Amino acid sequence: MSGILLYGLILFDIIEGKKYIGGPAINIALHMAFHGECPTLISCLGDDELGNRAEKLLTDNNVSTKFIKIDQQHETGWVRVFLDEKGEPSFEITQPVAYDFITLDDEQLSSLSETEFDIVYFGTVVQRTDVSADTLRKILKHVSYKHSFFDINLRKGHINKDVVAFSLQHTDILKLNEEELILVAAMFDLETREEQGIVDWLFAEYPAEMILLTRGENGVSVFVPDKRNDIPG
């Protein structure tokens, strides 16, 4: 198994009637596989046409499906994506779908616990149900890892303060965009909406060691306590 453990969504984005494989975890897994890495991906697919497509894509690209559950009761995740005149997306996220019911049996959890992973990666939407949220908690409790990477990915209608608070409490590396930074400030009733002030609060309140603030075409700012590095787009 690879040193990277990815926990999250496998879904299809439906854009103007066409279906594209998506979800942050599978995107990263496929990108890593393209570069010769062997990430461990944990998710859930439905026993349907989209699930079969996703499973074949993973297998064809040497991404293990050992920890991907096939759910007989729920369809593979899908999202309708709407693009505005500037090409900016909005999302209509279907629920419930297979990734809302990710589980690991004792044998799988034991197998994962035999490896010390460099990074465990997870997001927010995958924790919107008790089932998948509980599975993540088991992973964070029983699996050894050096760093945890929280890719917050807040989506309208799927934002839960308790989930965000729990995730921040278990995060070494936090990734979010400018809009999400303001949403976090509002969620926790911060008086400031000033960027550096919010970042300083996150470092003070939570164990994050690095914050990646993405700025679309304008690049990204990398924050560590008392230091900042701006990387242009």
Side-chain angles (χ1 to χ4, degrees):
M1 286 186 285
S2 164
I4 307 298
L5 180 62
L6 303 164
Y7 183 81
L9 319 178
I10 298 177
L11 53 79
F12 282 78
D13 293 317
I14 301 178
I15 306 173
E16 297 179 346
K18 295 184 178 180
K19 300 170 183 176
Y20 303 88
I21 192 75
I26 191 173
N27 287 341
I28 295 171
L30 290 170
H31 186 74
M32 290 181 67
F34 180 77
H35 288 281
E37 300 292 334
C38 299
T40 300
L41 176 59
I42 301 173
S43 191
C44 187
L45 293 168
D47 185 14
D48 51 27
E49 186 266 335
L50 291 181
N52 293 337
R53 280 177 57 179
E55 189 172 20
K56 184 177 187 303
L57 181 66
L58 290 168
T59 302
D60 289 349
N61 285 277
N62 297 314
V63 177
S64 172
T65 59
K66 180 179 179 180
F67 298 99
I68 297 176
K69 173 185 170 184
I70 303 300
D71 190 308
Q72 303 295 329
Q73 281 75 47
H74 302 94
E75 63 182 337
T76 299
W78 57 277
V79 175
R80 281 198 177 89
V81 182
F82 304 94
L83 303 177
D84 64 17
E85 62 276 3
K86 295 181 180 179
E88 294 295 325
S90 59
F91 305 91
E92 181 183 297
I93 305 177
T94 308
Q95 185 177 1
V97 291
Y99 63 71
D100 291 315
F101 302 92
I102 304 172
T103 58
L104 294 169
D105 59 33
D106 291 342
E107 183 178 346
Q108 290 174 313
L109 200 58
S110 176
S111 176
L112 289 169
S113 68
E114 293 172 0
T115 298
E116 182 182 28
F117 293 93
D118 293 318
I119 293 177
V120 173
Y121 170 98
F122 59 94
T124 299
V125 177
V126 73
Q127 300 181 68
R128 68 184 182 178
T129 64
D130 290 342
V131 175
S132 291
D134 183 61
T135 300
L136 175 61
R137 282 154 176 73
K138 289 178 180 177
I139 291 168
L140 295 176
K141 181 178 180 180
H142 296 288
V143 175
S144 298
Y145 56 91
K146 296 177 182 177
H147 300 286
S148 56
F149 189 121
F150 179 33
D151 187 357
I152 195 166
N153 269 324
L154 296 177
R155 294 289 181 259
K156 185 178 180 181
H158 304 272
I159 300 174
N160 183 305
K161 180 180 177 180
D162 291 340
V163 164
V164 173
F166 170 85
S167 300
L168 289 173
Q169 290 162 3
H170 293 79
T171 298
D172 297 311
I173 304 166
L174 170 64
K175 173 184 167 288
L176 71 176
N177 62 33
E178 294 169 293
E179 180 182 356
E180 289 166 339
L181 188 72
I182 300 302
L183 286 173
V184 168
M187 186 183 304
F188 291 94
D189 299 319
L190 300 192
E191 294 182 0
T192 182
R193 294 296 184 269
E194 190 269 325
E195 183 177 285
Q196 187 64 53
I198 304 169
V199 169
D200 289 343
W201 174 83
L202 285 165
F203 280 129
E205 291 293 319
Y206 297 101
E209 298 173 0
M210 180 182 295
I211 296 175
L212 309 175
L213 183 64
T214 59
R215 305 181 185 279
E217 63 183 12
N218 296 316
V220 61
S221 294
V222 181
F223 295 87
V224 295
D226 303 321
K227 189 176 181 180
R228 164 181 176 167
N229 184 23
D230 295 314
I231 302 170

